[in-house]
Amino acid sequence: MTRVAFIGLGNMGSGMAAIQVKAGHTVRAFDLSEAALAKAAAAGCVSAASAVEAVADAEVVFTMLPAGQHVREVYAETVLANAPAGALLIDCSTIDVESARFVALQARSKGFRFADAPVSGGTAAAEAGTLAFMLGCDEADFTAFEAAIAPMSRTTLRAGDHGAGQAAKICNNMVLGISMIGVCEAFALAEKLGLEADRFFEISSKSSGQCWSLTSYCPWPGPVPAAPSNRNYEGGFATSMMLKDLKLAQEAAARAGAAAPLGATAEGLYALFDRLGGGDRDFSAILEMMRGRIDAA
Ligand code: NAD
C-alpha cells in the first residue's frame, strides 16, 4: 500500500484517483472544488483540507490540472515545499513543454524525482485504468514512475528527458487533429461527388487513406459502432481539448522555429468550430462543419 496524494480531481483526475484507491493505495485528494472533493471522497479517497495536507506524508504525488500556470503554482506554493524528501512527483496534466521543464528543474534542485507524464485517452480510460502515459524523466527513475502509474495505465512509455512527455503528447495530438480534418474533408467531398459514405469507408480503410481517425474513430456515423459519431458526438474527446492541444503545438513550434502549417490550419478550423458552438462536442463532430451543416456566418 502506497500513500498517494492527488491534486486536481476534475473529469480526468477523479477517475484516476479512484483507480489508485481500487489498487489498494491510500489516496489523500485535494481540489479547489468542493463538488470534486465530495466525489473523490465517495470513491474512497481521503479528502484533504488543503494541498499542503494532501502531500504532507505522500510517497507519490500526482497532479492533474488544467494548464501550465496551475502546475507551476501548485508546485511552487505547495508540492516542493511540503512533500517529504524522496517522494515521487508526477504531473499528468497536458501543459506547455517550457512549464514542464521549469517545474522539473525546480524539483531537481530540491532533490525530487519528477516526471511530466501526460496521458492519451479520455475520461472512460481514466475510469477504467487504461490510459496511455508518455513520460519525460531521467532514465534511471523510469521503473519507479512506471510502477506508480501502473494501476491507471494500459501502456507507459518513456519519451525522453524532462519535457519530452509533453512534446510527445502535443505532437501526437497534432497528427490526430490534422488527420481527423483530412478524413472529414474526404467524407464531405465523397458526399458531394455522390459516393456513398459506407462505400468510401470500405475502400479507403483498405487503401492508403487508412488511419486511426478513419478506422478506429470514424467521424461518419455507422462504420465504426464505438465511435462518438454514433452518439451524436457526445462524450469522447472534446473539441475544446483538441483546440487546447493544437494551440500548445503552435506555441511550441513558434518557440522552436519549426514549421507546422497544417497544425496551424487545423487549429484555425477547430477554433472556428468552437466559436460555432462545437466546443463541448467530440472533435470528430467537425465533420458537420465540413459538410456545411453548421452555418459559419
Ligand atoms: P478539469 O477542468 O475537469 O479538471 C481540472 C481540476 O483541477 C478541476 O477540478 C479544478 O478545480 C482543479 N484545480 C485547478 N486549479 C487547482 C489548484 N490550484 N489546486 C487544486 N485543484 C485545482 O480538466 P480535465 O478534463 O480533468 O483535464 C485535466 C488535464 O488533463 C488537462 O491538462 C487536460 O488537457 C488533460 N487531458 C484531458 C483529457 C480529457 O479528455 N478530459 C484527456 C487527456 C488529457
Side-chain angles (χ1 to χ4, degrees):
M1 186 208 282
T2 305
R3 294 186 302 278
V4 171
F6 215 109
I7 302 174
L9 307 162
N11 293 322
M12 295 294 287
S14 56
M16 293 162 73
I19 284 285
Q20 290 285 349
V21 171
K22 279 191 194 144
H25 303 311
T26 303
V27 180
R28 280 189 194 281
F30 180 71
D31 194 290
L32 296 175
S33 148
E34 287 294 330
L37 259 185
K39 188 176 171 194
C45 297
V46 180
S47 66
S50 64
V52 172
E53 189 182 303
V55 303
D57 72 345
E59 295 165 279
V60 184
V61 176
F62 288 104
T63 41
M64 192 52 165
L65 297 163
Q69 86 209 52
H70 306 92
V71 176
R72 284 180 186 244
E73 275 168 28
V74 167
Y75 265 76
E77 290 165 15
T78 307
V79 177
L80 297 178
N82 296 284
L88 281 181
L89 310 182
I90 306 175
D91 177 43
C92 303
S93 326
T94 301
I95 64 172
D96 56 289
V97 175
E98 261 192 349
S99 290
R101 289 189 178 141
F102 176 81
V103 169
L105 264 181
Q106 303 291 103
R108 179 177 279 165
S109 74
K110 302 221 173 223
F112 288 107
R113 289 170 293 167
F114 171 83
D116 47 294
V119 304
S120 181
T123 52
E127 282 162 22
T130 56
L131 292 165
F133 286 75
M134 40 209 105
L135 268 58
C137 66
D138 288 342
E139 199 163 6
D141 299 336
F142 177 70
T143 310
F145 285 124
E146 192 182 23
I149 285 167
M152 307 183 294
S153 164
R154 76 178 149 78
T155 177
T156 302
L157 297 169
R158 180 174 175 270
D161 293 333
H162 294 126
Q166 298 297 347
K169 166 81 185 178
I170 57 178
C171 289
N172 178 71
N173 279 19
M174 190 172 79
V175 172
L176 178 61
I178 292 169
S179 70
M180 180 54 77
I181 285 174
V183 168
C184 290
E185 265 186 22
F187 269 113
L189 176 60
E191 183 177 37
K192 292 270 188 219
L193 297 176
L195 172 61
E196 239 186 76
D198 286 351
R199 295 273 76 210
F200 168 61
F201 173 84
E202 200 183 342
I203 291 166
S204 192
S205 64
K206 292 186 177 73
S207 306
S208 48
Q210 190 281 331
C211 64
W212 190 89
S213 291
L214 178 70
T215 50
S216 295
Y217 213 84
C218 185
W220 194 283
V224 178
S229 52
N230 299 299
R231 307 189 299 269
N232 197 26
Y233 305 98
E234 281 162 18
F237 184 47
T239 289
S240 57
M241 287 284 168
M242 173 53 82
L243 184 54
K244 173 194 164 181
D245 293 353
L246 288 170
K247 280 183 199 296
L248 286 174
Q250 283 303 300
E251 286 162 18
R255 250 188 237 112
L262 289 183
T265 302
E267 185 203 340
L269 288 169
Y270 275 110
L272 176 59
F273 185 48
D274 184 49
R275 281 200 300 279
L276 295 172
D280 292 337
R281 307 184 77 194
D282 180 76
F283 77 113
S284 63
I286 199 165
L287 173 67
E288 298 199 344
M289 191 175 90
M290 298 300 191
R291 292 174 75 194
R293 291 181 147 210
I294 294 173
D295 191 359

